Amino acid sequence: INKERNCPMATRANIMITSDWKNFASAYCHWDGGLWCVGGMLEEHYNDTDTIMDLVALGDMSSLKETVEETATDERNAYKEQGGQVEMKTATEVFIASCGEEYLYVWDAKQEKWFVGTYYTSTPNWRSLKVAVQEFLAEVPEKTIFGEDYTNYGMAA
């Protein structure tokens, strides 16, 4: 994981919370949405339902910081003017392949656990975020982490 967290790259992600896998509160994150940054930060710093609800309640963000407060007060956060609008999605709206985002992170409030999927596959291929980050740190290729060779979707091998 990038310890400096200063690797601005337009790797887009959706950060969501659900308790039933039918309805989701969602926030878009524009920068560094991959396992190396947003994934690692969620796993390391966002591990309780109240904190994640506060994060998603901010609405869309340019980038994720180590705390909700830092994310909310970052002057470079281009989406601050959104006014706290939370996007709600149903299960059929959560995953749309090749939608422009690369990763989706879902906090399951009942299990109190993060899951990660990718939009580069034909299905999200949900994985435990903890396991996915560990595999990423062990330099396992992402196409192996998510269980599908998605080089045809435009992702680097």
Side-chain angles (χ1 to χ4, degrees), residues 97-118:
S98 300
C99 66
E101 284 93 24
E102 286 90 349
Y103 296 89
L104 59 162
Y105 299 95
V106 175
W107 175 260
D108 183 320
K110 283 188 178 176
Q111 295 184 58
E112 294 197 341
K113 179 178 178 179
W114 279 111
F115 292 88
V116 60
T118 179

Side-chain angles (χ1 to χ4, degrees), residues 16-28:
M16 298 178 241
I17 185 170
T18 188
S19 61
D20 61 8
W21 288 85
K22 294 177 184 171
N23 298 292
F24 300 78
S26 176
Y28 167 79

